[in-house]
Amino acid sequence: MTVYLFIVALFILGLGGMSLLPNLLRKLLAMNVMQVAVIVFFLAAAFKDGASVPILAESGPEGIAAEGYMNPLPHTLMLTAIVVSVSTTGLALGILIRIRRRFDTLNEVSLLRRLR
């Protein structure tokens, strides 16, 4: 239960940063905090207490109970989500560098004022 409260706190922190902070770089960091909250949620939901990794012994698959193993699919999907998150963060940082060079600001309000 404590893990889920931590996840909710992380998500609210990210959501608040995305909606309340005027700096675009800080908004990007808040978006990353939200992504981490979602990834931790999926990993926490996939966790089974007392289960082991699904690696079969040399003896073969006879007599294996599925309840004793964790499902590797959520972990694999979250690994893919981490790669996508790093890629989108890199692209967004590149765009923020271009915005900063062209408009000399990362403040959303002054940037929108200059674009009008």
Side-chain angles (χ1 to χ4, degrees):
M1 188 65 183
T2 307
V3 175
Y4 292 110
L5 291 176
F6 175 69
I7 292 168
V8 168
L10 271 179
F11 194 81
I12 290 173
L13 183 70
L15 188 63
M18 287 280 295
S19 59
L20 298 176
L21 296 175
N23 190 313
L24 293 177
L25 181 61
R26 291 183 181 169
K27 284 181 183 276
L28 177 64
L29 294 176
M31 181 186 73
N32 283 337
V33 169
M34 284 177 57
Q35 288 174 344
V36 166
V38 171
I39 290 169
V40 172
F41 171 73
F42 275 99
L43 292 179
F47 180 75
K48 284 169 64 174
D49 197 26
S52 66
V53 293
I55 298 175
L56 299 178
E58 293 179 12
S59 62
E62 301 90 27
I64 295 177
E67 298 85 27
Y69 294 103
M70 281 195 232
N71 186 3
L73 185 62
H75 302 280
T76 306
L77 291 174
M78 291 309 105
L79 185 60
T80 305
I82 291 169
V83 171
V84 170
S85 173
V86 169
S87 301
T88 56
T89 301
L91 180 66
L93 284 173
I95 292 171
L96 287 180
I97 288 171
R98 297 285 303 253
I99 290 171
R100 172 82 170 139
R101 286 182 183 164
R102 179 157 185 201
F103 298 104
D104 199 35
T105 186
L106 287 179
N107 189 319
E108 185 180 19
V109 175
S110 63
L111 183 64
L112 289 175
R113 197 175 321 124
R114 288 183 185 190
L115 290 174
R116 288 185 187 160

